[in-house]
Amino acid sequence: MKRWIEANSWTLGLAVLLAALLLATKLIQPGFGASGLDSLARAALPFALATVGMAIVVLAGGIDLSIAAMMAVASVTGAVLMQGATDLQSVGIVLGVLLLGLAMGAINGFLIVVSKVPDIVVTLAMLFVWQGVALLILNAPGGAAAPWLRALTTGNFPGLDILPRAIVFLAVVTALIWLPIRRSKLGLRLYAIGSDALAAFRSGVPVGQTRVIAYALCGLFAALGGLSVTMGTGIGEPIPGPYLLASVAAVVLGGVVLGGGRGGLLGPILAVFILRTVRMDLTLLSVDPNVAAIVEGTIMVAVVMFGAVLATRGRKT
Amino acid sequence: MTMTDTPTPLNRLGRLMVDQPLLPLIGLLILLVAILAVLNPGVLSMFWAGNTIKIAIPLAMLAACQTLTMLTGGIDLSVGTAATIAAYLTATLAPMTGVPPAIAIALASAVVIGLVNGFGVAICRVHPLIMTLGTALIATGCLLVYQRYVIATGVLIPDFLIWLGTGRSFGLPNSLVLFIPFAALVIWAQRRSGFGRLLYAIGANEAAARLSGVRVWQVHLTLYTLSSLIAGVTGLLYLGQIKTASLSLALPLDLPSVAAAVIGGTSIFGGRGGFGGTIVGALILTVLTSMLTLMQIPEGGRRILFGLIILAVTALFIRLTERS
């Protein structure tokens, strides 16, 4: 038990911090309850999914700057196709968009492995490419979302008032995709190439293939995130939101080391909710939304700076 | 390892591109102009040339920021924001405070952005890309807050900026008055000054530079501050050219400025390249953009193309200059 606590001290600390923040919210706004939690969870959902995708790539020793642009592509593709589609068709469309996400991520990974250009440059270039694709599909916000899809993340879980559906959705999706991978050989390989690609290669890990899979998973979660944007607003959004910096900040705050190999997914998800709760508290304190954006941006940049200092320290010792 | 001693044509091209990056670039520029002339006969004129140069100059100046930061292996994605903020502040403060104080405040704000970037990159060792992106986000937020307090004051664009931005003398744009000394200074500084040599040294091998006694953090701090200052000056010039103060004035130049530096032969990994190539790169991009507009390719298609160009050129440089 003691060892378990020591190994997960960072995640536990984040959980305590989140609980404290929620308590503070309750103090600021005594009426804060099930509906408040629901709107918090719905606002956090795209950020959380983007962060999960980013965390997987960072664990595998990379970074994906094109994540927000991929989300935009998924969002507009889903919204455009779903306009006027029946429920049955929209199920197919959702699956298609998820496959599209996998494909986009795999293209990113493939280009990195084949061109030998560093991941940061390739995904920067692909950021522009995916942005262009999103604009070609839909020039201005529009399209529609299937009603059942919107119901999936709106409101609270039946029978348990306090639990928002968006959180259930996030937990189920992440567990379904990540847990089998984490337990399998592939999960071990992802961590292996993240902590030392050369050592992994010498131990017989197919480094290139594993890297492509990591980026494909990131693309899959980006597609989920894009769909969740469409679910939340009911339309497709071709201009990427501020998900890139937010996801990197949450990954760092969540205890995943930039450079790879160490950390899990629970920490980053908790970190997303911490950042979102701070934002909500600022709104509840009736701070100007633009000022709130500045405060949030400053927190994120400070977190990333702190993470970079830690990473440099870690490398030296 | 598989390479033989006899140089293949590809190898020779690679050596040519490394030793004389300007020659193939100028060739490409001439080729593009020729294609444009075929597509649309009669477009080439003195007026067209002046116009192209006029449009290319702000791009080339922002690309100077990318060139200098890329020489050390960095990048500065906050230049568009810094330029926009400088332009917006100048236009909105000028009616209240007069032109010189407005410009001073505008450039000071750009310098603050640069100092924050420099602090993050030099002292906290954040990756420049993430750091500059974050500063851009915060700075945009500050601009939005500021904008809510100045709606009533009106906008004034100083006359000399309009003269500089849109005027022509002897058929050539007046912005050359600013650009030629600027370009000469940058090219001189990167080749001959100690600071320029330090940039190349850090980009080629940071550890070696550090061991030779270079205070790397000081160079980074100066570099990012300088980059934002250049961006601020570019913003003033661009304000004179566009003649409106908008909240997203120079943002569309962010990506092309990176593309111009990369096309111009500056390595995104540092240590190689220079501003001469970047100028030609900016001209190539301007001609390419007018070609794409002529062929009625939408904004999305243009972005895809720019992204692919950055990727292809970087991959090509790695392939060509690979020494095994």
Side-chain angles (χ1 to χ4, degrees), chain A residues 65 111 114 117-118 120-122 125 128-129 131-133 136 244-245 288 290-291 294 297-298 301 304-305 308-309, chain B residues 119 124-127 129 131 133-134 137-138 141-142 144-145 148 255 268-269 298 300-301 303-304 307 311 315 318-319:
Chain A
L65 303 178
L111 286 174
V114 168
V117 177
I120 213 154
V121 181
V122 172
F128 301 129
V129 172
Q131 248 180 36
V133 171
L136 282 186
L244 166 61
L245 193 68
D288 178 341
N290 288 319
V291 176
I294 298 175
T298 314
V301 169
V304 176
M305 278 186 183
V309 169
Chain B
F119 175 78
C124 300
R125 317 287 301 147
V126 182
H127 193 286
L129 206 149
M131 189 62 213
L133 212 59
L137 195 76
I138 299 175
C142 293
L144 288 174
V145 172
R148 296 179 52 152
L255 154 65
I268 210 160
F269 318 113
R303 285 197 195 190
I304 295 179
L311 191 59
I318 289 189
R319 195 57 44 87

Side-chain angles (χ1 to χ4, degrees), chain A residues 89 93 97:
Chain A
Q89 281 171 328
I93 292 168
V97 170

Side-chain angles (χ1 to χ4, degrees), chain A residues 27-116:
Chain A
L27 288 179
I28 296 169
Q29 180 97 346
F32 182 79
S35 71
L37 264 182
D38 174 45
S39 63
L40 171 70
R42 255 187 305 154
L45 187 58
F47 287 93
L49 289 166
T51 303
V52 170
M54 185 64 89
I56 294 175
V57 173
V58 173
L59 279 176
I63 194 163
D64 193 338
L65 303 178
S66 67
I67 190 159
M70 288 196 289
M71 287 170 74
V73 173
S75 166
V76 293
T77 314
V80 165
L81 291 179
M82 266 190 262
Q83 203 159 26
T86 63
D87 276 1
L88 195 64
Q89 281 171 328
S90 61
V91 174
I93 292 168
V94 168
L95 290 179
V97 170
L98 295 184
L99 277 182
L100 174 72
L102 268 178
M104 286 192 292
I107 291 176
N108 283 351
F110 184 74
L111 286 174
I112 291 166
V113 171
V114 168
S115 70
K116 293 187 193 140

Side-chain angles (χ1 to χ4, degrees), chain A residues 191-206:
Chain A
Y191 276 88
I193 64 167
S195 64
D196 192 336
L198 187 64
F201 176 72
R202 287 186 177 153
S203 334
V205 175

